[in-house]
Amino acid sequence: MKTASARIAANKRQDFIKEYGVVPISELHRFFIKKKGVLMTKEEVLKKYFGYDSFRAGQETLVNSILSGRDTLGIMPTGAGKSLCYQIPALLMPGITLVISPLISLMKDQVTALNQAGIHAAYLNSSLTQGQYQTALRNLIQGRYKIVYVAPERLLTESFLWAASQIEISMVSVDEAHCISQWGQDFRPSYLKIPDFVEQLQVRPVVSAFTATATAEVREDIAAILGLQDPVTLVTGFDRKNLRFSVKQPADKMAATLAYIMEHPDECGIIYCLTRKTVEEVHNALVGRGFSATRYHAGLSDEERRENQEDFIFDRKEIMVATNAFGMGIDKSNVRYVIHYNMPKNMESYYQEAGRAGRDGLPSECVLFYSGQDVVTNQFFIDRMEAAEGMDEETAALVQERERERLKKMTFYCFTNECLRAYILRYFGEYGDNYCGNCSNCLTQFEEKDVSETARNLIGCVKTARRSYGMTLIVDTVHGSKNSRLLQVGMDQNPYYGTCEEEPIYRLRQILNHLLVEGYLFLTDDKYPVLELTEKSEEILNGSTLLMKTAKEQPKKIKEKKPKKRLLAEEGEVDYDLFEKLRGLRMELAKKDRVPPYLVFTDKTLTQMCQLRPKSKEEMLMVSGVGENKFRKYGEAFLALLNEERQD
Ligand code: ADP
Ligand code: MG
């Protein structure tokens, strides 16, 4: 068996050389990567190409797993550094690595970054003309690329299958792998082509998959549908310590947004809205007031979307106002804040979107502006959800039900008085202590209030109602409202009618939410969710005390100080003037090379330059993010600037 396959391999090699006049990539690879008789180590690749000194949590395990030939599934939060987990093995393995990725923008970004690092990579997708596509395929066959990004739709086309049969494929790596699962929030039917493609290859390569979605269903789907063989699975901590979370319920969201932006001048941020209309409103308000903002939603032409995205990525515009259509795979590292102008539909979306802040590890903020209308809008979207391609009615109904359940958990997030970080992590299956000291709940002063009486009235009202009703009706009843629906169903005759006249509606809602979070009442998953008693309900009716933490009303601070820039460095001061100068130089170089500034150097790299003030090539290479290739391109320019500064 072995000799036969060896013979086939030898013949294949001969055919290959005859047809293309070049040796297969595996041999070229050995030539390139060999250094004094030994292959480069993964640490050397990390330093030389990417300019980093050490692996982050989880990266090393995943790299080792792939290099040992095992299928691998990596689940890490956005910004954790999943790309390196397949890019480094790709450089160390003999053949070519194919990376499947869902979006054109994402591929382009990744390939540009690799080229910047001095690595031969390309992408194959519908943004190429027929001619460019053919050229790229030819280069692929000739072994010019080590890493090739492919759109899933291309995999089973005749031309690509043929090309794939001509090359040695060491690994197929699936990025954003949750797209293969119908339980995920970005199901893409074209991802289902991946297992078919892998099956058609003569030699099965290592298959690796990466995602930031950690729920159990999605994880199982990925392994099963992709046909991972006994995979090494690694889930790293989901905590992003540099992000500060907060939830606010401003009476005027627009005013709150403007105030926030004014307090954070010169910082890049994303504002997510639920609908196109809201994007337009917020965008207009910002632009009208002279802020440097752009927008992104599905109603714009491809052309305009691309332009706006680039304006943001290239730092030509500071603020991006967008729907959730914006962002998958956006690797802009210096986003300092993400504001959710509306509550998104579930925690997965929230954490993924919020997680686009602070990818460089510097302190950043994630602010959510909640209002009751957000729940209504999301419910409307769920009701109108269309079944995805190839989904039967039953499955579609199930998916809808799950969406409602997820929306509920998202809503609870906005009302919880616990540590927000703890709530998020628990949602993703991580348990920790309940105090992070870096979220709006941990940071505001709490006061614990005895809400037993109101709780008793609410539960009593649910218990004595003739049938089950939704939250609004119950709140209205105890509040003693006179709306027509309430009168129509006779709730004004309920013994608890008007028992909480004094409490404002929002307080009643908060307390009701607290009862749900604590399990004293239950909200069904139906299209029109209704409240029901639980086994704990009686405790309250029998006189137990219920405490609820609420934020103390903060006396309004009058801001006199000019807004201060965020301290960029995690430790130690940073000279902002110098930082701005380095930033200016980065912009200049980026323009010249037509790449986004963060692909020249990230904010974090510039910050370190400010602190270390390297004087020589050796010192410069010690700055995190400066690899040899980057140094060759940009190192001298930065050294010269730093030198000038020293002389002043
Ligand atoms: P994601 O997990 O969301 O795909 P990326 O792979 O895009 O994350 O990486 C996020 C950022 O972290 C990038 O700017 C990347 O260069 C940086 N990064 C990755 N690994 C390391 C490391 N070992 N040391 C320092 N920075 C790293
Ligand atoms: Mg990624």
Side-chain angles (χ1 to χ4, degrees):
M1 204 50 201
K2 216 169 188 177
T3 46
S5 64
R7 202 169 50 239
I8 292 170
N11 288 343
K12 230 171 93 182
R13 180 173 183 278
Q14 283 310 317
D15 291 348
F16 191 97
I17 296 175
K18 220 185 291 159
E19 183 152 358
Y20 298 104
V22 289
V23 285
I25 192 159
S26 51
E27 294 175 27
L28 280 177
H29 165 77
R30 285 192 191 107
F31 171 76
F32 278 126
I33 218 102
K34 211 171 229 170
K35 197 185 106 188
K36 294 186 205 130
V38 277
L39 295 180
M40 271 175 98
T41 63
K42 56 181 188 296
E43 287 81 10
E44 284 167 336
V45 172
L46 179 70
K47 182 73 192 159
K48 178 171 173 189
Y49 289 100
F50 299 97
Y52 299 133
D53 287 324
S54 55
F55 285 103
R56 287 192 186 149
Q59 285 179 326
E60 193 164 10
T61 314
L62 292 167
V63 169
N64 285 343
S65 155
I66 293 174
L67 288 176
S68 73
R70 294 276 300 273
D71 280 0
T72 301
L73 174 56
I75 296 158
M76 298 164 122
T78 308
K82 291 183 283 294
S83 318
L84 287 194
C85 297
Y86 57 81
Q87 288 166 347
I88 288 183
L91 295 176
L92 289 165
M93 289 158 106
I96 294 168
T97 288
L98 299 179
V99 183
I100 320 296
S101 168
L103 293 181
I104 290 175
S105 59
L106 189 150
M107 292 188 208
K108 192 169 161 227
D109 206 58
Q110 297 261 338
V111 167
T112 315
L114 287 170
N115 292 341
Q116 282 286 91
I119 296 161
H120 297 275
Y123 53 80
L124 297 171
N125 60 36
S126 59
S127 74
L128 302 182
T129 63
Q130 190 60 23
Q132 289 171 323
Y133 187 76
Q134 292 306 334
T135 310
L137 271 191
R138 205 171 322 118
N139 289 342
L140 167 66
I141 293 169
Q142 291 177 354
R144 300 251 178 100
Y145 309 126
K146 200 69 190 132
I147 302 179
V148 174
Y149 284 74
V150 192
E153 305 82 46
R154 295 273 152 172
L155 291 173
L156 296 180
T157 58
E158 212 174 303
S159 60
F160 188 75
L161 277 173
W162 176 81
S165 71
Q166 305 299 307
I167 55 176
E168 181 183 347
I169 300 172
S170 289
M171 169 162 67
V172 170
S173 192
V174 185
D175 204 3
E176 312 287 354
H178 59 276
C179 292
I180 205 167
S181 168
Q182 298 183 349
W183 302 132
Q185 73 273 30
D186 302 304
F187 174 55
R188 280 167 192 258
S190 60
Y191 259 55
L192 298 171
K193 295 187 202 285
I194 303 170
D196 292 347
F197 170 75
V198 172
E199 218 156 81
Q200 295 198 30
L201 296 175
Q202 276 177 328
V203 183
R204 187 181 183 281
V206 173
V207 180
S208 59
F210 296 88
T211 177
T213 305
T215 54
E217 299 98 345
V218 173
R219 210 183 298 173
E220 283 158 20
D221 260 8
I222 293 173
I225 302 175
L226 273 181
L228 297 183
Q229 297 177 358
D230 183 25
V232 172
T233 303
L234 183 96
V235 187
T236 61
F238 264 64
D239 193 9
R240 298 269 313 278
K241 291 205 168 40
N242 62 319
L243 300 185
R244 167 176 295 182
F245 294 95
S246 56
V247 176
K248 299 193 172 117
Q249 291 197 39
D252 182 343
K253 288 186 179 190
M254 192 75 86
T257 306
L258 290 168
Y260 186 92
I261 296 172
M262 274 189 276
E263 281 179 30
H264 298 86
D266 301 328
E267 295 187 352
C268 285
I270 305 176
I271 302 175
Y272 277 111
C273 309
L274 267 183
T275 62
R276 297 176 194 180
K277 190 164 156 267
T278 319
V279 169
E280 291 295 336
E281 283 165 13
V282 175
H283 176 255
N284 284 344
L286 295 187
V287 173
R289 284 170 179 77
F291 289 106
S292 159
T294 183
R295 66 194 163 150
Y296 192 104
H297 59 65
L300 303 174
S301 67
D302 288 352
E303 170 79 12
E304 186 174 358
R305 277 207 305 250
R306 210 198 59 235
E307 260 174 36
N308 294 354
Q309 173 167 327
E310 290 196 347
D311 280 347
F312 181 65
I313 287 179
F314 283 77
D315 284 355
R316 291 191 290 256
K317 293 277 166 68
E318 268 169 14
I319 303 164
M320 170 58 90
V321 189
T323 60
N324 63 359
F326 175 75
M328 197 198 319
I330 295 288
D331 184 24
K332 186 175 166 62
S333 62
N334 63 337
V335 176
R336 293 274 70 88
Y337 60 84
V338 172
I339 294 178
H340 276 81
Y341 197 83
N342 304 106
M343 178 185 79
K345 63 181 176 187
N346 55 41
M347 292 294 294
E348 285 92 341
S349 308
Y350 180 64
Y351 203 46
Q352 192 158 53
E353 287 159 16
R356 297 197 173 112
R359 294 181 71 135
D360 50 13
L362 298 176
S364 308
E365 271 190 272
C366 310
V367 187
L368 196 162
F369 289 150
Y370 171 88
S371 74
Q373 180 59 37
D374 299 339
V375 183
V376 178
T377 311
N378 276 304
Q379 237 145 18
F380 175 77
F381 284 145
I382 295 174
D383 291 346
R384 291 202 338 169
M385 246 171 82
E386 275 170 27
E389 184 190 313
M391 222 188 256
D392 58 53
E393 230 170 80
E394 209 176 315
T395 321
L398 198 67
V399 169
Q400 243 177 356
E401 197 182 308
R402 278 170 190 250
E403 288 297 332
R404 284 197 192 96
E405 182 59 33
R406 284 188 182 152
L407 176 59
K408 236 162 75 177
K409 301 232 171 90
M410 182 74 242
T411 313
F412 288 166
Y413 172 79
C414 300
F415 283 95
T416 181
N417 281 316
E418 295 173 68
C419 169
L420 292 175
R421 187 181 312 273
Y423 185 99
I424 295 172
L425 294 178
R426 201 166 57 233
Y427 183 86
F428 291 112
E430 266 181 52
Y431 296 85
D433 88 55
N434 257 324
Y435 180 86
C436 75
N438 193 21
C439 72
S440 55
N441 284 357
C442 289
L443 288 167
T444 33
Q445 286 191 352
F446 287 120
E447 49 189 0
E448 282 215 311
K449 280 209 173 135
D450 184 340
V451 292
S452 319
E453 196 183 325
T454 310
R456 246 188 305 287
N457 289 331
L458 283 164
I459 294 175
C461 180
V462 171
K463 189 175 174 182
T464 53
R466 259 175 286 147
R467 37 170 292 232
S468 303
Y469 292 116
M471 292 172 70
T472 312
L473 195 66
I474 297 297
V475 165
D476 284 350
T477 303
V478 296
H479 188 63
S481 307
K482 291 198 172 53
N483 68 50
S484 57
R485 164 138 164 82
L486 189 154
L487 299 175
Q488 200 186 350
V489 297
M491 280 299 270
D492 54 334
Q493 302 303 316
N494 183 283
Y496 291 88
Y497 181 76
T499 46
C500 302
E501 257 174 348
E502 307 283 295
E503 295 266 21
I505 296 274
Y506 83 89
R507 276 291 292 171
L508 290 170
R509 278 218 156 240
Q510 276 180 347
I511 295 169
L512 187 51
N513 265 303
H514 187 59
L515 290 172
L516 291 172
V517 173
E518 297 295 317
Y520 291 107
L521 281 175
F522 176 75
L523 190 66
T524 62
D525 290 335
D526 309 316
K527 188 165 172 195
Y528 300 105
V530 293
L531 289 164
E532 281 171 4
L533 297 182
T534 71
E535 57 221 37
K536 281 173 83 183
S537 306
E538 287 295 326
E539 289 175 26
I540 302 287
L541 293 175
N542 292 337
S544 306
T545 311
L546 181 69
L547 297 176
M548 186 174 106
K549 280 197 219 151
T550 51
K552 253 192 219 156
E553 290 281 313
Q554 302 282 337
K556 276 220 172 77
K557 272 183 273 174
I558 299 159
K559 279 235 163 65
E560 282 169 14
K561 272 189 291 178
K562 263 175 76 185
K564 220 181 121 204
K565 274 198 194 158
R566 199 189 304 265
L567 188 69
L568 272 169
E570 280 153 300
E571 52 218 58
E573 290 280 331
V574 164
D575 176 344
Y576 285 111
D577 292 338
L578 179 58
F579 182 77
E580 286 303 323
K581 280 182 190 153
L582 295 176
R583 222 160 78 130
L585 175 60
R586 174 176 72 176
M587 183 58 121
E588 228 173 82
L589 295 169
K591 274 194 182 140
K592 208 173 87 218
D593 284 1
R594 296 171 185 230
V595 295
Y598 67 84
L599 288 184
V600 173
F601 288 127
T602 62
D603 277 8
K604 184 155 187 162
T605 301
L606 296 191
T607 310
Q608 266 207 10
M609 274 187 209
C610 289
Q611 288 170 329
L612 299 177
R613 311 216 177 193
K615 292 194 260 317
S616 61
K617 176 175 177 186
E618 287 63 41
E619 288 179 13
M620 190 59 117
L621 284 172
M622 274 153 53
V623 175
S624 172
V626 186
E628 274 178 31
N629 203 60
K630 287 267 182 89
F631 181 84
R632 212 171 307 128
K633 282 187 160 159
Y634 309 119
E636 293 298 346
F638 281 89
L639 278 179
L641 177 67
L642 288 164
N643 218 355
E644 247 170 60
E645 288 299 307
R646 236 185 315 275
Q647 261 140 41
D648 288 343

